[in-house]
Amino acid sequence: EHDWGVICDAIGREIQRGGQVYYLHNRIDNIERTALKLRKLLEDTCGEVSVGVAHGRMDKDMLSSVMEDVADGKIQVLVCTTIIETGIDIPNVNTIIINNADHFGLSSLHQLRGRVGRSSRKAFCYLLTKPDEYLTRDARRRLRAIEEFSELGSGFNIAMQDLDIRGAGNLLGAEQSGFINDI
């Protein structure tokens, strides 16, 4: 469950070993407020910590500047949206904290988890959710699957679980249109 104390401890441990952190908060409307709260909490527990923000509505020059600062190590904690899901490879970021992980699909969680651990240093992925009684059955299954299949090369197993959870659809059924009769 979401717990600011656990979040601060996780970030503090990563910073102590010289690493950086992604804090994924996929709500642009209050991402700045979340970054400010995190900055204040970390200041009380870890001292001065540089916190940056990145999301898809930012001006491209500003976003580029923030990402350069992360790559250069000037920003220790990046509060961001799923903009980091693909193409971001910063070996010093070895902890990712995903807020509201129950709102993500299994493939997105797998992809996001893969943004850390890109160096020889051990990586950590924290999946934060609301209390268990508020999670849907499918959300619980997705979270269980991402936890269970955490070893290298588990993408196929995750894809199979995703197929099982979401279903295969109806490729040859009556709901399809086009030239299905010819097939």
Side-chain angles (χ1 to χ4, degrees), residues 4 7 9 53 61 87 139:
W4 286 110
I7 293 166
D9 287 346
V53 173
D61 293 331

PDB file of all heavy atoms in Angstrom, residues 4 7 9 53 61 87 139:
ATOM      1  N   TRP A   4       4.117   6.953   2.567  1.00  0.00           N
ATOM      2  CA  TRP A   4       5.190   7.935   2.360  1.00  0.00           C
ATOM      3  C   TRP A   4       6.461   7.552   3.103  1.00  0.00           C
ATOM      4  O   TRP A   4       7.559   7.853   2.653  1.00  0.00           O
ATOM      5  CB  TRP A   4       4.717   9.335   2.770  1.00  0.00           C
ATOM      6  CG  TRP A   4       3.764   9.924   1.782  1.00  0.00           C
ATOM      7  CD1 TRP A   4       2.424  10.129   1.966  1.00  0.00           C
ATOM      8  CD2 TRP A   4       4.044  10.371   0.460  1.00  0.00           C
ATOM      9  NE1 TRP A   4       1.871  10.669   0.832  1.00  0.00           N
ATOM     10  CE2 TRP A   4       2.848  10.838  -0.114  1.00  0.00           C
ATOM     11  CE3 TRP A   4       5.211  10.419  -0.308  1.00  0.00           C
ATOM     12  CZ2 TRP A   4       2.767  11.337  -1.409  1.00  0.00           C
ATOM     13  CZ3 TRP A   4       5.137  10.917  -1.608  1.00  0.00           C
ATOM     14  CH2 TRP A   4       3.928  11.368  -2.142  1.00  0.00           C
ATOM     15  N   ILE A   7       8.291   5.074   0.983  1.00  0.00           N
ATOM     16  CA  ILE A   7       8.808   5.785  -0.194  1.00  0.00           C
ATOM     17  C   ILE A   7      10.088   6.537   0.164  1.00  0.00           C
ATOM     18  O   ILE A   7      11.101   6.440  -0.535  1.00  0.00           O
ATOM     19  CB  ILE A   7       7.742   6.754  -0.748  1.00  0.00           C
ATOM     20  CG1 ILE A   7       6.567   5.954  -1.309  1.00  0.00           C
ATOM     21  CG2 ILE A   7       8.334   7.675  -1.798  1.00  0.00           C
ATOM     22  CD1 ILE A   7       5.324   6.787  -1.579  1.00  0.00           C
ATOM     23  N   ASP A   9      12.127   5.985   2.672  1.00  0.00           N
ATOM     24  CA  ASP A   9      13.188   5.020   2.987  1.00  0.00           C
ATOM     25  C   ASP A   9      13.818   4.466   1.717  1.00  0.00           C
ATOM     26  O   ASP A   9      15.046   4.363   1.617  1.00  0.00           O
ATOM     27  CB  ASP A   9      12.645   3.862   3.834  1.00  0.00           C
ATOM     28  CG  ASP A   9      12.342   4.269   5.262  1.00  0.00           C
ATOM     29  OD1 ASP A   9      12.791   5.356   5.687  1.00  0.00           O
ATOM     30  OD2 ASP A   9      11.642   3.494   5.954  1.00  0.00           O
ATOM     31  N   VAL A  53      10.890  17.200 -12.389  1.00  0.00           N
ATOM     32  CA  VAL A  53       9.604  16.747 -12.911  1.00  0.00           C
ATOM     33  C   VAL A  53       9.702  16.619 -14.418  1.00  0.00           C
ATOM     34  O   VAL A  53      10.299  17.473 -15.085  1.00  0.00           O
ATOM     35  CB  VAL A  53       8.472  17.746 -12.547  1.00  0.00           C
ATOM     36  CG1 VAL A  53       7.164  17.378 -13.213  1.00  0.00           C
ATOM     37  CG2 VAL A  53       8.298  17.821 -11.041  1.00  0.00           C
ATOM     38  N   ASP A  61      12.107  21.815 -25.030  1.00  0.00           N
ATOM     39  CA  ASP A  61      13.411  22.278 -24.547  1.00  0.00           C
ATOM     40  C   ASP A  61      13.541  22.078 -23.039  1.00  0.00           C
ATOM     41  O   ASP A  61      14.589  21.676 -22.544  1.00  0.00           O
ATOM     42  CB  ASP A  61      13.634  23.756 -24.909  1.00  0.00           C
ATOM     43  CG  ASP A  61      13.762  23.964 -26.410  1.00  0.00           C
ATOM     44  OD1 ASP A  61      14.227  23.022 -27.096  1.00  0.00           O
ATOM     45  OD2 ASP A  61      13.396  25.057 -26.890  1.00  0.00           O
ATOM     46  N   GLY A  87      12.673   3.981 -24.229  1.00  0.00           N
ATOM     47  CA  GLY A  87      13.772   4.781 -24.754  1.00  0.00           C
ATOM     48  C   GLY A  87      14.652   5.485 -23.749  1.00  0.00           C
ATOM     49  O   GLY A  87      15.655   6.068 -24.130  1.00  0.00           O
ATOM     50  N   ALA A 139      -6.728  -6.365 -11.299  1.00  0.00           N
ATOM     51  CA  ALA A 139      -5.572  -5.610 -10.817  1.00  0.00           C
ATOM     52  C   ALA A 139      -4.719  -6.477  -9.899  1.00  0.00           C
ATOM     53  O   ALA A 139      -3.490  -6.477 -10.004  1.00  0.00           O
ATOM     54  CB  ALA A 139      -6.017  -4.351 -10.089  1.00  0.00           C
TER      55      ALA A 139
END
